[in-house]
């Protein structure tokens, strides 16, 4: 059923959706690249900080454990998965790593901090969080992320990403609406 597929997709992705938003709120302080450049451009830029990455990752992992407590309450309506620790970590950290990788690619292609990179901005964290999860929690990944669930994630994530970023921009939390 389409609704069930969507619910499972969103539930399973929540620990990967939250880190980047928490990083926006918690960011600041020392940049991961320490201000260093490569070929005249910053390696990552001031928008990727240790604090944002640590808080974002921790928030995603914590959310997975909260969802594990809520999961039994939902059974009977839709069967949503619980998150084994390895999957909680890979979804949350993978989302942050994907965003960091995107900044690396932005800098290499001459895009300054805050520049948009259509396509990459919307799906970077999905690709890396799911790939990492497929490696570190393979059995869980294969049982949860069936082909319809993956299709749902790839269709819905860009819409969610655009709307949350426009919202964060409107609230003055983010400098750009992407
Ligand atoms: N942020 C952070 N650490 C991260 C990711 C984000 O501290 N790992 C914070 C930064 O304050 C950043 C803000 O969240 O400015 C918005 O994130 P994002 O849009 O990903 O960064 P940009 O500043 O736009 O930089 P870039 O062009 O490198 O994406
Ligand atoms: Mg940005």
């Amino acid at each position: 059923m389409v609704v069930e597929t969507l619910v499972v997709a969103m539930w399973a992705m929540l620990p990967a959706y939250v880190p980047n938003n928490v990083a926006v709120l918690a960011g600041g302080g020392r940049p991961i690249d320490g201000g260093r450049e490569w070929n005249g451009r910053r390696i990552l830029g001031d928008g990727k900080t240790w604090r944002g990455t640590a808080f974002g990752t921790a928030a995603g992992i914590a959310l997975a454990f909260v969802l594990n407590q809520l999961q039994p309450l939902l059974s009977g309506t839709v069967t949503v998965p619980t998150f084994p620790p390895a999957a909680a970590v890979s979804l949350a950290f993978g989302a942050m790593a994907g965003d960091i990788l995107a900044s690396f690619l932005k800098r290499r292609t001459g895009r300054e901090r805050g520049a948009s990179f259509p396509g990459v901005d919307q799906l970077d964290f999905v690709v890396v969080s799911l790939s990492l999860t497929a490696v570190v929690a393979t059995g869980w990944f294969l049982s949860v992320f069936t082909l319809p669930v993956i299709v749902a994630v790839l269709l819905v994530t860009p819409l969610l990403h655009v709307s949350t970023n426009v919202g964060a921009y409107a609230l003055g939390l983010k400098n750009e609406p992407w």
Side-chain angles (χ1 to χ4, degrees):
M1 199 177 102
V2 174
V3 173
E4 187 156 355
T5 302
L6 278 172
V7 171
V8 170
M10 294 304 101
W11 175 277
M13 286 303 287
L14 271 172
Y17 284 155
V18 161
N20 290 290
N21 297 301
V22 170
V24 172
L25 300 175
R30 205 175 126 74
I32 295 172
D33 67 10
R36 282 186 289 275
E37 298 189 343
W38 186 28
N39 289 336
R41 294 190 182 278
R42 286 289 292 277
I43 298 174
L44 301 173
D46 284 334
K48 305 297 120 151
T49 67
W50 289 109
R51 200 168 78 203
T53 308
F55 276 89
T57 303
I61 294 170
L63 179 63
F65 283 92
V66 171
L67 294 177
N68 283 348
Q69 309 307 310
L70 297 177
Q71 192 267 355
L73 307 175
L74 285 170
S75 59
T77 46
V78 185
T79 309
V80 289
T82 53
F83 300 88
V89 172
S90 62
L91 286 169
F93 177 71
M96 291 269 73
D99 177 57
I100 291 168
L101 175 65
S103 288
F104 179 78
L105 297 176
K106 285 186 193 180
R107 301 301 94 84
R108 305 287 73 72
T109 54
R111 291 172 167 83
E112 299 297 338
R113 177 186 180 184
S116 74
F117 199 162
V120 174
D121 277 328
Q122 287 74 35
L123 287 170
D124 51 17
F125 63 101
V126 175
V127 172
V128 177
S129 62
L130 290 188
S131 306
L132 194 60
T133 304
V135 172
V136 305
T138 309
W140 183 83
F141 176 84
L142 291 175
S143 68
V144 174
F145 287 94
T146 58
L147 190 56
V149 170
I150 291 177
V151 170
V153 169
L154 293 178
L155 290 177
V156 176
T157 302
L159 298 175
L160 275 178
H161 188 269
V162 169
S163 47
T164 51
N165 284 325
V166 168
Y169 173 72
L171 291 172
L173 299 172
K174 232 178 159 295
N175 293 330
E176 304 88 18
W178 47 77

